[in-house]
Amino acid sequence: MSDDHTYVQEFFGARAADWDSRFPDDGPAYAAAAAALGLREGDRVLDAGCGTGRALPPLRAAVGPSGLVLGADLTPAMLEAAVQAGRDAEGQLMLADVAVLPLRSESLDAVFAAGLIAHLPDPAQNLRELARVVRPGGTLALFHPIGRAALAARQGRQITPDDLRTEPNLRPLLAGSGWHMTSYVDEEDRFLALAVRES
């Protein structure tokens, strides 16, 4: 697992400073995905693998001043970029591995995860950890601001049948990790899978 951590930190660390400028038009997609969580005033939400914190402003808007917004990321440079962008004003940032979260069980109402699943070293176990910190009936959003086909084209690769984000693969993966998928969208301009924490 340490090798996975090193790779993730090196990959994102090298790109942190100009990450937001590379994807300047993603804001509305993040806001729409955050809204899909159905958060209410006072809710507690985690942005897992928050990167530069692009989801923190819409998550804060959804839960209001009485809510709790946390952003966890493994890469210090990404968190530094979030601070430089002023997004630490929207939520509490923490350097943390989403595979071992420093949070109490059932302490959150929702988890937002943008682009995270492809970087999880043990997806089933890691999704179970996200389920651990969410109350029964709480929600999970697995999001990407472009769809799988567009992302593959951007990266110069083909989509393969073993892609975790295909619905036939993702649905049982979530079910085995304490989540029930309630919605699945894979379009040119967004990927969004929503799930509810089972009791």
Side-chain angles (χ1 to χ4, degrees):
M1 187 177 287
S2 61
D3 288 342
D4 291 307
H5 287 178
T6 300
Y7 170 76
V8 167
Q9 288 174 323
E10 288 177 354
F11 179 89
F12 286 106
R15 293 161 174 80
D18 67 343
W19 188 261
D20 287 356
S21 63
R22 292 175 62 202
F23 309 106
D25 302 323
D26 287 350
Y30 271 80
L37 276 172
L39 294 166
R40 295 172 298 194
E41 181 86 21
D43 275 353
R44 298 152 300 166
V45 60
L46 168 69
D47 183 359
C50 66
T52 62
R54 292 181 292 171
L56 298 182
L59 293 173
R60 169 58 65 199
V63 303
S66 65
L68 175 67
V69 178
L70 301 172
D73 203 275
L74 191 61
T75 306
M78 280 292 200
L79 295 175
E80 290 167 15
V83 171
Q84 290 173 0
R87 296 186 184 120
D88 56 326
E90 308 293 345
Q92 178 182 338
L93 299 173
M94 56 184 174
L95 182 63
D97 182 355
V98 299
V100 190
L101 289 164
L103 300 171
R104 292 189 323 272
S105 297
E106 300 184 8
S107 60
L108 301 174
D109 298 292
V111 172
F112 183 90
L116 178 70
I117 194 165
H119 301 288
L120 296 176
D122 184 349
Q125 179 59 40
N126 303 151
L127 288 168
R128 274 194 288 278
E129 174 66 359
L130 295 181
R132 180 189 69 78
V133 299
V134 173
R135 63 170 174 78
T139 53
L140 168 69
L142 299 175
F143 167 71
H144 203 283
I146 59 174
R148 292 185 314 115
L151 181 61
R154 177 189 287 174
Q155 296 172 342
R157 61 177 176 81
Q158 297 290 321
I159 295 178
T160 60
D162 62 345
D163 183 345
L164 290 178
R165 292 162 291 194
T166 65
E167 187 172 7
N169 294 338
L170 187 58
R171 187 176 294 277
L173 175 63
L174 286 167
S177 304
W179 299 98
H180 170 70
M181 187 190 292
T182 57
S183 175
Y184 181 91
V185 176
D186 183 16
E187 300 170 340
E188 181 70 17
D189 60 350
R190 73 170 174 157
F191 173 88
L192 181 63
L194 298 174
V196 171
R197 166 76 159 84
E198 296 176 335
S199 53

